[in-house]
Amino acid sequence: MLFKNSIAWYYFSSPKNFYPLAGRLIPWFWAVSIVLMVVGLYMSFFVAPTDYKQGESYRIIFIHVPAAWMSMLIYLVMAGYAIIGMAWKVRLAEMMASALAPTGAMFTFIALWTGAFWGKPTWGTYWVWDARLTSELILLFLYIGYISLQSAIDDPRRASRASALLAIVGVINLPVIYFSVKWWNTLHQGASVSPTMAPKMATIMLTAMLIMTIAFWMYTIAVVLMRVRRTILERERQTVWVKELVTDLAGERQ
Amino acid sequence: MKQTSLFDAWRAMVARDLTLAMRRRADVLTTLFFFIIVVSLFPLGVSPELAVLREIAPGVIWVAALLASMLSLGRLFADDYQDGSLEQMLLLPQPLSVLVLGKVLAHWLVSGVPLVLLSPLLGMQLGLDGDAIVLLMLTLLLGTPVLSLIGSVGAALTLGVRGGGVLVSLLVLPLYIPVLIFGTGAVDAAISGMAFDGQLSLLGAFLVLAILLTPLATSAALRISAE
């Protein structure tokens, strides 16, 4: 069984074989993501009870927290792909790493943006230089640096290897963000959900938040697969199979 | 043929880079004057009141040191990259990371140490008192080598890249932020009479980690750049 699986890994790590697989998977991830997002948003706006302390404004949590989680998770996955790409020179892993970055930057931005909207009614200000906010902002800078470095180097192989190294170096920041609320006792509230403790929130709220997280996760996979398919076509354009594919597509259109 | 020992190669690298820097003293002085000018802008731009300046002094001096050390990063590998000596270094039998450590040490001696030595004067100008100045020097002494080490990764990654000079700031400044926070935090704590040894220990830990890890990342980046 294990042997069979490892063969499958090798098989699909070739861009040529991964391209059609990704194409088949994308609609499924889109569908799951949209269904969960509709359910999650309905639960968060109509089913979840009003918070006894923060009133209705707390409802931004259902976007804010999943986006913040995704921003860190995507960086971690990106760095993981970067390590695989550098260590074993897997082209697909390099492409996956670079495909993840724009979505990661987007979720970081959403986390900061919704955080500002949440901050105004609860703290009375859009922005404070609090440890968690600042470290999340650094994460955004890291994503932007990664994307800029990649687009500044013309040779795609060199670009992805250089930016992969940057991604690995930047991983240092993740524990800082994650533990910042514990290490510095600042304005940002502590984590409401933790794997080791019972959640400090109503079950219905937690369920809605987890549904939104999975919805965001599925969205990320769908978008990243679409982006990686485009990168594959771009980088493998000299190969026979891409040429055949493109001529087939052109033939169908006529 | 006798193989040069690792330590000899390292020492030769430090000596070579120091000699090169001494031949071009203007570069070193430019960084130093940049540091002085940036700090001097704050009394003019923010307020000449000593009470205000004393409050912002640690942060101002630290940010200026950050920018100055970033300004000098371009010198670290660019000349060697252009005249081909970098490729020779990649071919040496000694591990590249040790040579990188030598180059970074030379860079720090030339660009970091002068900043540390100059900081008391600037601290006095901004109204800091004796203890705070000593602590400021101490944090800079621990922090500026970390800046050089982290900066070497950015400098190596952007070698021969168009717009490399601006790009390096985007790559390196986010990674500098923790050093800045704890460097200024220690001085601020001392000014307000609180314990500051925690921040100093963390700066020391950053330094140890940076010495261990960044030369490896830098040499990997150099190999990518020289391909």
Side-chain angles (χ1 to χ4, degrees), chain A residues 213-239:
Chain A
T213 308
I214 298 170
F216 279 5
W217 204 331
M218 296 301 119
Y219 161 83
T220 308
I221 296 176
V223 169
V224 167
L225 285 181
M226 285 170 80
R227 206 175 282 131
V228 94
R229 255 163 73 98
R230 192 205 59 195
T231 319
I232 289 174
L233 288 187
E234 235 172 59
R235 291 216 198 154
E236 310 272 299
R237 62 174 175 271
Q238 77 290 353
T239 58

Side-chain angles (χ1 to χ4, degrees), chain A residues 145 148 152 154 158 161-162 165 184, chain B residues 157 159 162 170 182 217 221 227:
Chain A
S148 327
D154 290 324
R158 198 193 141 185
R161 296 189 57 203
L165 191 68
W184 294 279
Chain B
L157 280 174
L159 266 189
R162 77 187 121 78
L170 196 57
F182 292 107
E227 255 172 20

Side-chain angles (χ1 to χ4, degrees), chain B:
Chain B
M1 204 173 79
K2 192 172 157 284
Q3 174 109 31
T4 319
S5 81
L6 191 57
F7 182 70
D8 283 344
W10 179 79
R11 210 174 45 189
M13 185 59 77
V14 177
R16 168 187 177 272
D17 272 30
L18 285 178
T19 316
L20 281 175
M22 281 305 114
R23 297 264 160 83
R24 290 208 195 153
R25 256 167 248 157
D27 284 3
V28 180
L29 289 177
T30 317
T31 316
L32 211 55
F33 282 121
F34 177 83
F35 180 56
I36 300 170
I37 289 173
V38 170
V39 174
S40 320
L41 287 178
F42 281 86
L44 304 172
V46 180
S47 152
E49 293 283 330
L50 267 191
V52 179
L53 289 178
R54 194 173 296 137
E55 191 119 315
I56 60 170
V60 166
I61 293 175
W62 255 98
V63 170
L66 223 77
L67 296 175
S69 82
M70 206 185 61
L71 197 68
S72 60
L73 281 180
R75 277 208 313 273
L76 196 50
F77 300 114
D79 292 341
D80 292 342
Y81 179 71
Q82 260 157 13
D83 65 14
S85 30
L86 186 67
E87 280 172 28
Q88 302 297 320
M89 286 172 210
L90 296 183
L91 296 173
L92 286 177
Q94 281 81 16
L96 184 58
S97 48
V98 175
L99 301 174
V100 164
L101 202 57
K103 280 187 81 68
V104 174
L105 175 69
H107 175 261
W108 176 67
L109 287 174
V110 168
S111 68
V113 171
L115 300 187
V116 178
L117 294 178
L118 208 64
S119 59
L121 183 68
L122 295 171
M124 260 153 63
Q125 282 187 320
L126 298 183
L128 288 182
D129 58 7
D131 289 349
I133 288 178
V134 172
L135 199 59
L136 180 70
M137 276 185 84
L138 200 59
T139 57
L140 282 171
L141 198 63
L142 284 170
T144 45
V146 184
L147 302 184
S148 292
L149 285 161
I150 297 175
S152 74
V153 184
L157 280 174
T158 51
L159 266 189
V161 170
R162 77 187 121 78
V166 187
L167 192 57
V168 84
S169 57
L170 196 57
L171 305 185
V172 160
L173 282 179
L175 300 171
Y176 278 179
I177 291 174
V179 183
L180 172 74
I181 290 176
F182 292 107
T184 54
V187 186
D188 280 335
I191 290 176
S192 50
M194 286 188 300
F196 50 80
D197 42 349
Q199 282 95 328
L200 282 186
S201 308
L202 271 168
L203 279 179
F206 285 152
L207 181 56
V208 172
L209 262 180
I211 290 177
L212 282 175
L213 298 178
T214 54
L216 298 173
T218 307
S219 34
L222 285 176
R223 286 194 196 285
I224 296 169
S225 297
E227 255 172 20

